Amino acid sequence: MMTTKKQGLWATIRRIAASDRISGLIMLGFALAGLLLANLPFTAHAFERLEEFRIAIPHTNIDMGLGHWVQDGLLTVFFLTVGLELKQELTTGSLSNPKAAAVPMLCAVGGMLVPPALFIAVISLFAHFGPGGAGELVIASSTSFSFSEMSQGWAVPTATDIAFSLAVLALFARALPGSIRAFLMTLATVDDLLAIILIAVFFSSVNAWYWFIGIAVCAVVWFFLVRMQKVPWLAVVIVGVLAWVMMFEAGIHPTLAGVLVGLLTPARERFGEKSPRAERYAEKLQPFSALLALPIFALFATGVHFESLTWALFVSPVVIAVIVALVIGKPLGIMITAWLSTHLAGLKMAKGLRVRDMFPAACACGIGFTVSFLIASLAYEDAELSAESRFGVLIASLIAAVISGILLSRQSKRFEIAQRQSSEASDQHDDADEEVETVLEDGTIAVSQMIGTKTRTK
């Protein structure tokens, strides 16, 4: 009886974790809770002490506060899940056919190039016309920073949060064709891969070379362990932890150890298995990633203390730059790239979709959140700048979610009306099989299979 109850509880947890809507709302709730706990007078001190509570590993250089353990340690679970999903997508999923995924893959690149340019442009305007002296930028606390110091956050608005963007899609776009979700999934997956490369290249300080030999040894051992018919899980866990330690000591952000071992996991069936190991492992880790690692990370990432939450915070240069870069830069880069790749490069969108159809989903890509929070904490050494940039990510993500939610809801209603019209037309004609295209007012083509009609409706 007890075993049955445990299985039922675990099934419920997995179902909640698999829901983009529920897991996204849980993460948002923890993010807002972190902001409140860090700034309410009767909780701020306790929250700060909790975040700074130090935990050390004996005989190593690893000695961090709880907040850093969450960022560098617990978040590894999320990156391991990302690595496993990436491996599956690259092997048998949407990224296994580059020609079919070419447009969203290029859009991911475009969506990461435009935001930094807008970020730099905005802080340049503040440096020239803002309240500070020539070349100086004044944040909400009245502290001045140079242009070069503030420009270090150029990478903060480059990343899209796949969990939140899909949550918005699930909430507001129920009637949209699966091709739009597939487009967003492919784009966000490539975005994750590029963000991982960006962190590895720009936010790592390489230490002694011999740690990299350790990383390579761990990678090779993992490669063979997860390919054995009976996987020795104790050995796998030990190797995974050692890979994390080696990454940390080498000066590379240790969460990338999760991506490394995830990409080395087999993504095809072995020994008569019903499903690939990468897929199964990702499914098992999903509840821990979505309901444990990400919410707790969001709690500490947004748990930044401000002297006062005033309107001055909303017009701080770094906050405005992050908001403009994510809310405007992300969809702008995606849409420009989509237009260029289809009109000049000769690539094609999925059947029935035009470039304009992707605008609502492109707006959802302005939701930065998880990886943007991480980059913000890595980009700025100054605590105030890091705090304000994370606040900017939170506000920008909320704005992008609202805008994309409204646009997706309207787009979904138009597709729903088109499907209803197609259904009514199919009831009136039953002489031959025909594919019907319904052209909406905005030019969108809704394709549906008609049974029993000889005329094409447009």
Side-chain angles (χ1 to χ4, degrees):
M1 180 67 73
M2 187 65 71
T3 304
T4 305
K5 286 183 178 180
K6 287 182 179 179
Q7 289 176 344
L9 177 62
W10 180 243
T12 303
I13 292 173
R14 290 184 65 175
R15 191 161 54 248
I16 292 172
S19 170
D20 296 325
R21 284 175 283 180
I22 299 175
S23 58
L25 290 173
I26 289 172
M27 190 160 40
L28 178 61
F30 271 75
L32 295 175
L35 187 63
L36 290 174
L37 288 172
N39 290 280
L40 291 174
F42 49 88
T43 59
H45 182 63
F47 188 84
E48 183 179 2
R49 289 187 64 184
L50 177 66
E51 187 176 18
E52 293 178 355
F53 180 77
R54 301 197 73 80
I55 301 172
I57 297 179
H59 311 297
T60 69
N61 296 322
I62 304 174
D63 182 1
M64 300 184 291
L66 184 59
H68 277 100
W69 272 108
V70 170
Q71 175 184 292
D72 293 353
L74 188 59
L75 200 60
T76 305
V77 177
F78 164 71
F79 276 96
L80 174 56
T81 308
V82 169
L84 291 167
E85 291 175 344
L86 273 173
K87 180 59 179 292
Q88 197 61 55
E89 290 296 321
L90 288 165
T91 306
T92 61
S94 59
L95 302 181
S96 61
N97 184 355
K99 186 177 181 180
V103 176
M105 288 171 71
L106 289 172
C107 286
V109 176
M112 293 190 77
L113 292 177
V114 174
L118 283 184
F119 180 90
I120 296 297
V122 170
I123 63 171
S124 296
L125 290 174
F126 271 97
H128 284 87
F129 304 107
E136 289 189 343
L137 299 104
V138 182
I139 62 173
S141 63
S142 299
T143 307
S144 296
F145 292 92
S146 66
F147 174 82
S148 61
E149 286 178 301
M150 196 168 288
S151 64
Q152 292 171 3
W154 62 269
V156 173
T158 56
T160 291
D161 191 285
I162 187 169
F164 265 115
S165 57
L166 290 177
V168 170
L169 205 66
L171 279 168
F172 300 102
R174 296 181 181 180
L176 292 183
S179 52
I180 290 181
R181 189 181 191 279
F183 185 97
L184 182 59
M185 269 288 294
T186 304
L187 188 153
T189 302
V190 176
D191 189 285
D192 273 346
L193 180 59
L194 294 175
I196 289 164
I197 295 171
L198 188 148
I199 292 171
V201 173
F202 293 100
F203 300 103
S204 298
S205 52
V206 177
N207 295 329
W209 58 270
Y210 49 79
W211 293 113
F212 290 90
I213 296 177
I215 294 171
V217 171
C218 289
V220 172
V221 174
W222 177 284
F223 180 88
F224 286 105
L225 286 177
V226 293
R227 279 165 174 75
M228 295 175 65
Q229 186 166 1
K230 188 175 181 180
V231 179
W233 285 110
L234 180 59
V236 167
V237 171
I238 292 172
V239 171
V241 172
L242 285 175
W244 184 91
V245 172
M246 299 291 178
M247 285 278 194
F248 186 96
E249 297 287 5
I252 301 173
H253 200 269
T255 54
L256 299 185
V259 180
L260 174 65
V261 297
L263 290 172
L264 293 173
T265 304
R268 297 188 187 278
E269 296 83 353
R270 299 172 64 85
F271 308 110
E273 297 167 334
K274 294 182 180 179
S275 58
R277 292 183 176 183
E279 182 182 317
R280 292 205 314 277
Y281 299 166
E283 288 177 357
K284 289 179 179 179
L285 282 171
Q286 181 65 20
F288 298 99
S289 174
L291 303 181
L292 181 66
L294 290 180
I296 294 177
F297 171 73
L299 179 76
F300 283 98
T302 57
V304 289
H305 179 71
F306 299 101
E307 291 302 321
S308 59
L309 286 169
T310 63
W311 289 109
L313 191 60
F314 289 87
V315 293
S316 172
V318 68
V319 174
I320 293 294
V322 169
I323 291 173
V324 170
L326 276 173
V327 177
I328 298 176
K330 267 289 183 180
L332 182 63
I334 291 168
M335 295 305 293
I336 289 175
T337 307
W339 190 90
L340 290 174
S341 59
T342 54
H343 288 72
L344 299 182
L347 299 174
K348 293 183 179 180
M349 302 282 291
K351 187 175 182 180
L353 290 182
R354 296 183 180 182
V355 171
R356 70 183 71 174
D357 299 329
M358 302 316 305
F359 182 66
C363 290
C365 293
I367 303 172
F369 224 77
T370 309
V371 180
S372 289
F373 280 149
L374 177 59
I375 294 176
S377 65
L378 299 174
Y380 291 121
E381 293 182 3
D382 184 84
E384 285 184 302
L385 272 181
S386 178
E388 289 203 6
S389 64
R390 281 181 275 176
F391 181 76
V393 170
L394 179 61
I395 299 302
S397 297
L398 290 173
I399 294 172
V402 170
I403 293 173
S404 60
I406 294 171
L407 295 177
L408 285 166
S409 180
R410 291 180 177 179
Q411 187 184 33
S412 183
K413 287 178 181 177
R414 290 198 297 270
F415 270 92
E416 199 170 3
I417 292 170
Q419 289 171 356
R420 193 182 304 122
Q421 291 173 345
S422 298
S423 179
E424 290 173 356
S426 68
D427 292 337
Q428 298 173 4
H429 303 85
D430 52 7
D431 296 329
D433 294 346
E434 189 75 28
E435 189 181 71
V436 172
E437 296 178 356
T438 303
V439 181
L440 307 182
E441 293 180 0
D442 64 350
T444 301
I445 302 175
V447 182
S448 59
Q449 186 70 27
M450 302 296 295
I451 300 176
T453 179
K454 292 182 178 178
T455 59
R456 182 176 294 274
T457 305
K458 287 195 175 183

